[in-house]
Amino acid sequence: MSSSFESAHSSPSSPAAGPAEEPTLRSIGRLFPYLWEFRGRVLVALALLIGAKLASVAVPLVLKEIIDALDKPRPELVLPLAFILGYGVLRFASTTFADLRDVIFAKVTQRAMRRISMAVFKHLHALSLRFHLERQTGGITRDIERGSKAMSSLVGYLLFRITPTVLEILLVAGILFVKLDWVFGVLTLVTLAAYIGFTVTITEWRTQFVRRANTLDSQAYGRAIDSLLNYETVKYFGNEKYEAQRYDSSLIEWEDMALKSQRSLGYLNAAQAGVIAIGVTLMVLRAADGVVEGTLTLGDLVMVNAFLLQMFQPLSFLGVMYRQIKESITDVERMFTLLHRPREVEDAPDARELDVVAGEVTFDHVSFAYNADRPILHDVSFTIPAGKTVAAVGSSGAGKSTLARLLFRFYDTGSGSIRIDGQDIRHVTQDSLRAAIGVVPQDTVLFNDSIYYNIAYGRPDASRDEVIEAARAAHILHFIEGLPQGWDSIVGERGLKLSGGEKQRVAIARTLLKNPAILILDEATSALDTKTEKAIQAELLEIAKSRTSLIIAHRLSTVVEADEILVMEAGRIVERGRHPELLALNGMYAHMWALQQQAEEGGGK
């Protein structure tokens, strides 16, 4: 097989681990379509929010009337009692409206989280093989996890914390300006402006530490996951300490950024506390002076104090909310960066379904390069007639596996075209193309689930009898039935509980279950012992007779029955023909055959 490192192109850094875009309000705008699906609930929740704040602002006003009514030589009981009852109703309303708002809006947030998570998940599957060869799994999963949670936080803080707090402050400032004098209104707004100014300035400065800490967190998490996925390789080379050092180097830098973030948080809290203390003190002094001079009543003083307590309590969390919003925007932006990453291979706007009539495959003057400075294929042309088998052989790196990847349209050709029954595969939908092609790869990766699930994955709607028949055809049924848990046996992460040969037979079984019109065997029996290989080769050749087949092979003994053999070297077809014809040429194929025969004879001694 052409080494998978034919694809080790482009940047070595993980897309997920790179720096996120500068967080902007654009992220909030991107959330709007997901929230507006339940516009009725959104509007009701906003109405309840406004109702809760109006009731909350009315509480100090009623409290003032109660105090003033009682602050008389002979107070009447009826009037204060009415205000006291009103006070209780308003308190209840402000709390109840807020709770109802959360209940009504919960479905909006949860559905939006679900839809965005699904959109990112589907988009990641739609991205090219190039992206997935470069990505760092741990970093991406971390970004998606943080992004989903951040979306919920962002909506909650903006709609139900910031908006009502600002609304309440403006209402309070207006009431104080109208009912008392302009100084109270000005003091309220100045205190608010100073508080917001300090909060925004210091938070903007410290956001760089937060963002960098998140990036390093994703990198460290990605390294840890990558190391654990390659557990056996780490053990083979005794590199446990090396892996721990790499992981710790990421954590050391993350620790430094986290400490800077924590210190800057302390500065911000001190600045916020100072602004609130100064503003509250000035307003209480002004109110007390008014009571002494007789321009304000005792009820006015109580009202001002109640407003300040009521207003600055949520305001004291404004810094935390602003920081959370900034961090949430950063996380949401990283998630949307993934969502809006362009697809390398796209369906054409007028793409139609592939119509497989016979299954003839044609490569017409195909050239291709993973990177512009490293061409892989050079003007490759050949045809696989319907129902025939063509094999591609050659040394590692000759471009054999690239043929399979281009036919499956993991990449588009640089020049030339690939056609199936005369239809250019760039002009048909990827779903219909891939539904017509079955692939048995050399490096088989299985899901951490049961053997039954992994074979049935070839066609999830297949009946149990069809799954069993596919396992029988792949010569793995006896092995499965001999396991203690039988079909329910879990194969482990990436199938690590099975041997290479067992994994390969599972891969063959699920491809047979798919029942494709075109078959690609990419070193499909390379991991099997000689006896099993011969048995499966006979079965595969029988299956290939009714399908158009492309066999990628290094071991020439597996392709001697092919209708045509393509000998590749440095991305070009240097010889072609049937096995006897190529041996008669006494060229590159004959030389490879002789070497392999000698190796097999030597191994048998």
Side-chain angles (χ1 to χ4, degrees):
M1 172 182 175
S2 295
S3 170
S4 60
F5 289 101
E6 286 177 359
S7 313
H9 41 269
S10 202
S11 169
S13 62
S14 164
E21 294 179 20
E22 184 68 23
T24 65
L25 292 178
R26 180 178 54 193
S27 300
I28 302 171
R30 287 171 171 173
L31 294 175
F32 186 78
Y34 296 96
L35 301 176
W36 200 238
E37 177 185 354
F38 294 98
R39 58 182 65 88
R41 285 177 175 265
V42 173
L43 294 174
V44 170
L46 289 175
L48 288 170
L49 181 153
I50 294 170
K53 277 304 152 190
L54 290 175
S56 179
V57 169
V59 167
L61 294 173
V62 174
L63 187 60
K64 163 190 159 47
E65 298 299 332
I66 294 172
I67 298 298
D68 285 343
L70 293 174
D71 188 28
K72 293 177 181 179
R74 290 180 175 275
E76 294 290 337
L77 184 61
V78 176
L79 189 62
L81 184 60
F83 280 121
I84 290 170
L85 291 174
Y87 177 86
V89 170
L90 289 171
R91 278 286 187 189
F92 177 77
S94 64
T95 304
T96 304
F97 285 175
D99 290 338
L100 286 174
R101 173 205 69 196
D102 292 339
V103 169
I104 289 173
F105 201 77
K107 185 173 184 178
V108 180
T109 307
Q110 298 304 322
R111 178 62 60 83
M113 286 177 63
R114 170 189 158 197
R115 288 187 59 205
I116 291 178
S117 297
M118 278 300 299
V120 175
F121 180 79
K122 288 180 179 179
H123 186 69
L124 287 174
H125 273 293
L127 291 177
S128 69
L129 179 63
R130 189 189 307 272
F131 170 84
H132 287 281
L133 290 174
E134 295 169 0
R135 67 173 163 78
Q136 195 173 34
T137 307
I140 287 181
T141 54
R142 198 74 154 187
D143 287 341
I144 296 173
E145 177 188 2
R146 274 207 306 256
S148 298
K149 291 180 179 177
M151 191 208 73
S152 178
S153 299
L154 192 60
V155 172
Y157 281 124
L158 282 176
L159 281 182
F160 303 141
R161 298 294 183 267
I162 297 293
T163 301
T165 299
V166 173
L167 176 63
E168 183 173 14
I169 289 169
L170 294 176
L171 285 172
V172 168
I175 290 170
L176 293 177
F177 185 85
V178 172
K179 290 190 71 67
L180 302 181
D181 64 50
W182 63 271
V183 176
F184 287 98
V186 170
L187 280 174
T188 303
L189 295 178
V190 168
T191 302
L192 174 63
Y195 187 93
I196 291 176
F198 274 109
T199 300
V200 170
T201 302
I202 298 177
T203 303
E204 285 293 335
W205 166 64
R206 69 181 298 268
T207 296
Q208 60 181 314
F209 306 131
V210 176
R211 191 181 306 124
R212 180 62 181 158
N214 284 347
T215 299
L216 291 168
D217 180 51
S218 290
Q219 287 179 348
Y221 187 76
R223 281 186 177 180
I225 294 296
D226 193 41
S227 178
L228 292 173
L229 288 175
N230 290 281
Y231 168 84
E232 288 188 61
T233 304
V234 174
K235 288 293 183 184
Y236 289 151
F237 293 95
N239 279 342
E240 293 91 343
K241 290 183 179 178
Y242 173 71
E243 288 296 322
Q245 288 170 354
R246 287 182 72 235
Y247 183 47
D248 194 40
S249 66
S250 294
L251 292 180
I252 287 172
E253 198 176 350
W254 169 83
E255 180 185 17
D256 181 54
M257 286 299 115
L259 285 173
K260 289 180 178 178
S261 174
Q262 195 65 36
R263 291 191 195 105
S264 61
L265 174 59
Y267 302 146
L268 178 58
N269 288 339
Q272 291 169 338
V275 170
I276 291 176
I278 293 170
V280 169
T281 302
L282 290 175
M283 293 182 73
V284 171
L285 280 173
R286 176 71 178 177
D289 186 58
V291 173
V292 171
E293 292 181 358
T295 57
L296 296 179
T297 66
L298 187 61
D300 290 325
L301 176 60
V302 172
M303 179 185 71
V304 169
N305 188 59
F307 270 138
L308 293 177
L309 291 175
Q310 189 169 293
M311 183 175 62
F312 284 115
Q313 186 176 4
L315 188 61
S316 65
F317 293 103
L318 184 61
V320 176
M321 289 185 278
Y322 182 75
R323 290 193 304 274
Q324 289 293 334
I325 287 171
K326 291 288 290 184
E327 292 169 17
S328 295
I329 289 177
T330 300
D331 292 335
V332 168
E333 193 69 33
R334 289 177 73 91
M335 185 173 69
F336 275 113
T337 297
L338 285 174
L339 183 58
H340 292 280
R341 188 182 179 97
R343 302 179 185 181
E344 185 177 338
V345 178
E346 284 271 24
D347 282 345
D350 58 346
R352 59 186 184 278
E353 297 289 302
L354 175 67
D355 183 19
V356 181
V357 179
E360 180 181 86
V361 175
T362 302
F363 278 66
D364 188 6
H365 297 285
V366 171
S367 294
F368 175 74
Y370 292 113
N371 290 319
D373 58 350
R374 190 187 174 196
I376 299 296
L377 297 180
H378 306 272
D379 196 31
V380 172
S381 295
F382 65 91
T383 296
I384 311 176
K388 300 296 183 181
T389 298
V390 168
V393 301
S395 59
S396 182
K400 307 184 300 296
S401 287
T402 300
L403 298 177
R405 288 174 174 173
L406 292 176
L407 177 56
F408 204 72
R409 211 180 165 209
F410 277 140
Y411 304 94
D412 279 330
T413 59
S415 62
S417 64
I418 301 173
R419 298 187 298 276
I420 296 177
D421 287 336
Q423 303 160 82
D424 192 321
I425 63 172
R426 289 171 297 190
H427 300 153
V428 300
T429 62
Q430 295 175 67
D431 287 345
S432 64
L433 169 69
R434 291 166 185 167
I437 301 173
V439 182
V440 181
Q442 178 186 29
D443 183 19
T444 300
V445 178
L446 304 181
F447 294 95
N448 190 9
D449 210 306
S450 66
I451 287 185
Y452 184 90
Y453 175 87
N454 277 282
I455 294 178
Y457 197 81
R459 185 155 49 90
D461 60 348
S463 68
R464 189 175 183 86
D465 288 341
E466 290 174 314
V467 174
I468 293 172
E469 189 55 40
R472 180 180 286 109
H475 296 268
I476 196 174
L477 181 60
H478 180 69
F479 164 76
I480 295 171
E481 292 178 341
L483 293 172
Q485 284 79 40
W487 284 97
D488 295 325
S489 300
I490 303 299
V491 303
E493 186 103 24
R494 300 171 65 86
L496 291 177
K497 289 185 178 180
L498 302 182
S499 69
E502 290 158 358
K503 285 200 297 183
Q504 206 73 351
R505 282 180 282 176
V506 170
I508 292 169
R510 70 182 175 190
T511 303
L512 295 177
L513 184 64
K514 184 180 181 181
N515 194 28
I518 299 168
L519 191 62
I520 299 175
L521 305 175
D522 195 349
E523 299 279 12
T525 59
S526 61
L528 306 179
D529 59 81
T530 304
K531 181 180 178 182
T532 306
E533 179 191 25
K534 288 181 179 178
I536 294 182
Q537 276 294 335
E539 188 69 36
L540 288 175
L541 289 173
E542 186 64 32
I543 295 165
K545 287 180 181 178
S546 59
R547 293 175 173 84
T548 305
S549 303
L550 173 63
I551 300 177
I552 311 297
H554 175 71
R555 198 180 302 169
L556 302 184
S557 59
T558 63
V559 299
V560 294
E561 300 295 328
D563 296 295
E564 185 178 29
I565 299 171
L566 309 175
V567 184
M568 299 190 67
E569 180 67 22
R572 291 182 170 86
I573 297 175
V574 294
E575 295 176 3
R576 66 173 74 203
R578 293 181 63 85
H579 176 69
E581 297 167 353
L582 292 172
L583 288 180
L585 285 176
N586 200 27
M588 182 177 172
Y589 181 87
H591 179 65
M592 291 168 60
W593 176 263
L595 288 175
Q596 290 189 16
Q597 290 298 110
Q598 289 175 12
E600 288 181 13
E601 290 172 5
K605 290 180 181 178

